[in-house]
Each structure stands twice: as C-alpha cells, then as structure tokens.
Amino acid sequence: MKVNPVDGSIDLPDHVDSSGVKPMSYEEEQLIRVFYEQKIQEVCTAFKFPHKIQATAIIYFKRFYLQWSVMEHQPKNIMLTCVYASCKVEENHVSAEELGKGIQQDHEIILNNEMVLLKSLDFDLIVYAPYRSIEGFIDDLEGFCRAGNGAFQRLKELHQMAISHADKMMLTDAPLLYTPGQLALAALHKCNDILKVFDFERYLETIFSRQHSNCTIEQFVQSINAINYLVDQLKMPSVKDMRHLDRKLRHCWDPSSHDEHKKKEKKSKHKSKRTSTDAQLHS
C-alpha cells in the first residue's frame, strides 16, 4: 500500500478491492495526532518526567507527521519513540526496555523506529518549549508586582495555571508557529484574565520598553490572541471518535480487513435476527 503525498489517496495492489476503503481526511488525521500527543503527556506524567521532555517529545511527534501520514507510520509506535528520543536529548536517559516495560509495549518497536524518526527530523533535535519562559516571566513579575499592585503572592497560583494552559497549547499547532516567549505570554495573559493578578497591558509595555523590537505591542497582542484562539478551537477526540478512527486506520493499513469486518457485522446481525425469530416462535 502506498499513500500519495499530495492528496492522501491510497494506491492498492491489483488484487485488493479498494471500493470500501477510504483514506483518512485531514480532520481525522488531526484528531488522531491530538489523541497521541495527549498520550505522550500521560506517559511522561506516569514516568514523572519533567515538562521539558514532554514538550520535546510532542514537538518531535508534530514534526514527524509534517512529513508522514498516520496511514504510513503507526502513531502509537512513533509516540513511544519520540518519548525515548526526547529522554536521550534532554539527558534524562531511560532505556528502551524500561520504557517498554513501564507501558507494557515491546521495546523493539521503539528501537526499530528510532532511526526513521531521527532522519525525519533531519537530526535537528534541539527544542525550545514555553515552560522555562513562563518561569522567567514569573520571576520578572515578582519585581513588577512589588512596584505595582502588590499582588505577587498570587503569582504561584498563576504559574501553575499557566503551565496547565501551556500543556493545552502543546496539543495545537501553536508550538510550530510561535516562539516560546510568545507562547508563555499567551498562557500568562489567558490565566491572568481569570485570576486578575496584575495589569497585563502595563507589564507588556515595560517589556517592550526594555528591548528594541520591530514588532509593535498591537502586533504582539494579535499573536497572543491568535495563540489562545488555537487553544479555544482545540477539539479532543472522544472514545467513540477513536473507535471509529482506529477501525478506519486499520482498514487503510490492511484493506482486506474491511471485507472481514463487514462479514462479521453481517453475521452478527443475522445471528441476532435468528435469535429474535426463535424467541418469537417459542413464546
């Protein structure tokens, strides 16, 4: 099976009936990617990895599927390989055996996909995430709040909320489109709207007054709003969605399974109909 890189259509062998097999749409692929990016966060949380590893693994995953389709490489396997590679790069090494054992997966799958992942990333493995930028802005805000409204005691709560919001940002396209500093300020802006800790516009003015930038405050605010819009538009797949998508994905990998699935459904319907008829006869 080959996937056309232009339109996503599938070229099947002559002996396979492709009438019932449809390639996944962009929206369906996006839902699958979001699902497995969230799984990366869950795996990293279970292993108590720092946010830096989680962010790096997600960026690797996103960049990999900029070149490939989920119909070409199993996203579950790539997800695990991304976590393994990010642990290496961020110097928090965990063996493939340990990682596989922790999530009950064959570690050979991780090792077999490692070189495919690295080549797809062009061996460009340095990743910058918004979490460190959030910490830097929080430290800077301590001085700002002392001089201003005296609300620095609530900065810890703002910090935690901003990290949670940044986790959601990592599931969107924002990390591929904006800098870590923009992502961090967008998270702080969104959370500050809820907590009302400091005057965000005045703080933004102090930042711009300390540096020479070709970007105006108005343009920067537009970028922040665009980032938060992506987060607001984020759609998380439901269990029902994933069952349908997983079944469709299996059919794309193995078109013959589509006919087998239809036969099972037909057989199940026939069996239930026969059972119903027998029940009526004996009643």
Side-chain angles (χ1 to χ4, degrees):
M1 180 181 71
K2 294 182 179 180
V3 180
N4 190 310
V6 178
D7 59 7
S9 61
I10 299 177
D11 298 325
L12 298 171
D14 296 335
H15 64 277
V16 177
D17 179 15
S18 62
S19 59
V21 180
K22 295 181 180 179
M24 306 197 79
S25 66
Y26 166 78
E27 291 76 14
E28 289 173 331
E29 285 210 42
Q30 188 176 37
L31 280 177
I32 287 180
R33 291 196 303 268
V34 169
F35 174 80
Y36 282 103
E37 287 168 12
Q38 189 180 40
K39 287 298 178 185
I40 288 176
Q41 293 179 334
E42 292 177 6
V43 169
C44 291
T45 299
F47 276 88
K48 297 181 179 179
F49 293 150
H51 270 88
K52 177 64 175 173
I53 290 177
Q54 171 184 302
T56 300
I58 290 176
I59 294 295
Y60 286 174
F61 189 85
K62 288 179 182 294
R63 287 171 55 195
F64 181 87
Y65 282 109
L66 286 176
Q67 298 189 46
W68 301 99
S69 165
V70 297
M71 293 180 284
E72 295 174 287
H73 290 280
Q74 162 65 276
K76 183 178 181 180
N77 298 341
I78 300 302
M79 170 200 78
L80 299 176
T81 308
C82 287
V83 174
Y84 175 65
S86 65
C87 287
K88 279 187 174 182
V89 172
E90 300 303 334
E91 299 181 351
N92 194 79
H93 182 61
V94 175
S95 67
E97 291 85 354
E98 186 178 350
L99 184 61
K101 185 178 179 181
I103 52 182
Q104 298 180 338
Q105 296 293 326
D106 184 2
H107 71 277
E108 290 294 335
I109 293 175
I110 299 174
L111 297 176
N112 291 340
N113 283 284
E114 185 179 10
M115 191 53 63
V116 175
L117 172 66
L118 296 178
K119 285 182 178 179
S120 298
L121 299 176
D122 290 330
F123 295 90
D124 182 8
L125 305 177
I126 304 301
V127 169
Y128 299 97
Y131 301 103
R132 189 170 181 180
S133 297
I134 290 174
E135 292 179 6
F137 284 123
I138 290 293
D139 291 341
D140 189 50
L141 277 167
E142 288 187 9
F144 176 80
C145 290
R146 284 196 190 96
N149 55 18
F152 65 92
Q153 296 90 343
R154 299 175 60 196
L155 286 176
K156 185 175 182 180
E157 184 181 357
L158 177 66
H159 186 192
Q160 294 303 316
M161 185 179 288
I163 288 176
S164 297
H165 190 70
D167 287 343
K168 293 180 182 178
M169 284 181 181
M170 297 303 296
L171 302 179
T172 71
D173 290 336
L176 299 177
L177 301 172
Y178 300 95
T179 65
Q182 288 174 313
L183 297 174
L185 282 172
L188 290 170
H189 178 249
K190 185 73 173 182
C191 299
N192 188 63
D193 280 347
I194 300 172
L195 298 177
K196 309 294 184 186
V197 178
F198 65 100
D199 186 336
F200 184 83
E201 291 184 2
R202 196 160 67 85
Y203 177 64
L204 209 56
E205 290 174 359
T206 64
I207 293 176
F208 273 77
S209 66
R210 284 179 271 166
Q211 61 180 3
H212 301 287
S213 174
N214 295 327
C215 176
T216 65
I217 293 180
E218 290 74 19
Q219 291 173 328
F220 195 81
V221 170
Q222 287 180 359
S223 297
I224 287 176
N225 292 335
I227 292 170
N228 286 324
Y229 176 78
L230 289 175
V231 178
D232 293 337
Q233 295 300 307
L234 177 65
K235 181 182 178 182
M236 300 301 301
S238 64
V239 174
K240 184 178 179 181
D241 289 333
M242 286 310 301
R243 283 175 181 167
H244 168 71
L245 294 174
D246 186 58
R247 184 165 59 247
K248 187 172 182 179
L249 193 56
R250 289 201 305 272
H251 293 164
C252 290
W253 290 330
D254 181 11
S256 62
S257 67
H258 180 73
D259 296 330
E260 292 177 7
H261 179 72
K262 293 184 81 172
K263 287 179 182 178
K264 287 181 181 179
E265 280 190 337
K266 188 175 181 180
K267 186 176 181 180
S268 177
K269 288 180 181 179
H270 179 71
K271 184 178 180 181
S272 61
K273 185 177 180 180
R274 186 174 61 188
T275 304
S276 176
T277 302
D278 291 345
Q280 290 177 1
L281 290 174
H282 288 88
S283 62

